[in-house]
């Protein structure tokens, strides 16, 4: 009994796509259900690299066999899927009510920009598209194709966005590395706001011009009541 055959049986019987971690958990638990089975014992701690290599080989075999289904990795999870040419009969079987509404052209364009340049702010998306994207972004967020992933290290700390695992599933991609090349899109220059500059750890953030002014005020040649006093006052004022 080969590892390849075991994986085939597990994925064929699975009710959902399985990640490498989930597959490893299956192999780790199988020993409890196969008393005295040396094969189950030997594969209890199978490595992810071994699983990946075997799955890739199994996928190639199914593709070469020209069956009506194939083994695919989508969003990092493995599953058996039917070939696209059999779609009419499958649609007749399951109907169209489960199919999600198609994305509009503006939504697809916005989604493409996010996928190729994430993490990215809404303002940066609008720079590339040349139009506002408020409504489109709301649609993509509601569909679960895009999510907030953090905040940009720029003035105002705007929210940044990235794609989700549902995005990969929707387009049948293993990862973002499987996206078609889009050099033209990546070459578009997006102007970012000036990075945050902190005068001192624990103090409020001030713009570069204010730091320059503070440095001038701290020069020994200039008579001040206390070096840096005005800069400190300005920082405190901004922190109020």
């Amino acid at each position: 009994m080969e590892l390849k055959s075991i994986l085939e049986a597990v994925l064929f019987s699975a009710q959902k796509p399985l990640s490498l971690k989930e597959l490893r958990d299956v192999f780790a638990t199988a020993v409890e259900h196969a008393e005295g089975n040396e094969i189950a014992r030997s594969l209890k701690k199978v490595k992810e690299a071994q699983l990946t290599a075997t799955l890739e080989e199994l996928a190639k075999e199914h593709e070469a066999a020209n069956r009506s289904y194939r083994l695919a990795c989508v969003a990092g999870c493995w599953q058996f899927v039917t070939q696209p040419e059999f779609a009419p009969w499958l649609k007749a079987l399951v109907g169209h009510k489960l199919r999600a509404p198609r994305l509009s052209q503006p939504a697809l364009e916005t989604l493409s920009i996010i996928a190729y340049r994430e993490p990215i702010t809404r303002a940066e998306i609008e720079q590339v598209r040349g139009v506002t994207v408020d409504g489109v972004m709301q649609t993509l967020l509601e569909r679960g194709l895009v999510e907030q992933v953090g905040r940009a290290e720029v003035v105002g700390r705007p929210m940044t966005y990235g794609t989700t695992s549902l995005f990969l599933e929707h387009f049948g991609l293993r990862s973002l590395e499987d996206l078609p090349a889009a050099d033209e899109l990546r070459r578009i220059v997006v102007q970012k706001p000036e990075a945050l500059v902190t005068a001192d750890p624990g103090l409020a953030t001030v713009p570069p011009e204010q730091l320059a002014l503070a440095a001038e005020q701290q020069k020994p040649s200039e008579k001040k009541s206390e070096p840096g006093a005005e800069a400190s006052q300005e920082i405190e004022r901004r922190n109020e």
Side-chain angles (χ1 to χ4, degrees), residues 147-193:
E147 64 182 353
Q148 296 176 348
V149 296
R151 291 189 178 275
E153 294 295 329
V154 296
V155 177
R157 293 183 58 80
M159 191 68 66
T160 57
Y161 298 89
T163 54
T164 64
S165 58
L166 185 59
F167 162 80
L168 297 175
E169 293 177 16
H170 185 88
F171 293 97
L173 300 171
R174 177 182 300 195
S175 68
L176 291 177
E177 298 301 320
D178 290 344
L179 285 168
D183 294 337
E184 182 179 353
L185 183 60
R186 290 193 175 104
R187 281 199 299 267
I188 297 176
V189 178
V190 177
Q191 296 179 351
K192 296 179 180 293

Side-chain angles (χ1 to χ4, degrees), residues 75-178:
C77 295
W78 291 85
Q79 61 182 318
F80 281 108
V81 297
T82 52
Q83 301 287 12
E85 56 265 31
F86 297 97
W89 294 273
L90 297 177
K91 288 178 180 178
L93 175 65
V94 301
H96 294 274
K97 59 183 179 181
L98 298 179
R99 185 180 179 88
R102 297 187 64 177
L103 293 169
S104 65
Q105 189 62 32
L108 285 172
E109 292 174 2
T110 303
L111 192 54
S112 299
I113 294 169
I114 297 172
Y116 281 105
R117 308 188 73 130
E118 64 180 84
I120 186 171
T121 65
R122 186 172 304 202
E124 291 170 344
I125 298 170
E126 291 176 346
Q127 282 187 46
V128 177
R129 287 207 63 212
V131 295
T132 58
V133 296
D134 291 347
V136 173
M137 286 296 296
Q138 186 61 34
T139 298
L140 295 177
L141 288 166
E142 291 175 354
R143 292 280 295 271
L145 299 172
V146 166
E147 64 182 353
Q148 296 176 348
V149 296
R151 291 189 178 275
E153 294 295 329
V154 296
V155 177
R157 293 183 58 80
M159 191 68 66
T160 57
Y161 298 89
T163 54
T164 64
S165 58
L166 185 59
F167 162 80
L168 297 175
E169 293 177 16
H170 185 88
F171 293 97
L173 300 171
R174 177 182 300 195
S175 68
L176 291 177
E177 298 301 320
D178 290 344

Side-chain angles (χ1 to χ4, degrees), residues 2 29 55 95 114 170 193 197 231:
E2 296 181 358
T29 310
L55 288 165
I114 297 172
H170 185 88
V197 180

Side-chain angles (χ1 to χ4, degrees), residues 19 50 68 117-118 198:
S19 65
Q50 185 179 0
S68 60
R117 308 188 73 130
E118 64 180 84
T198 302

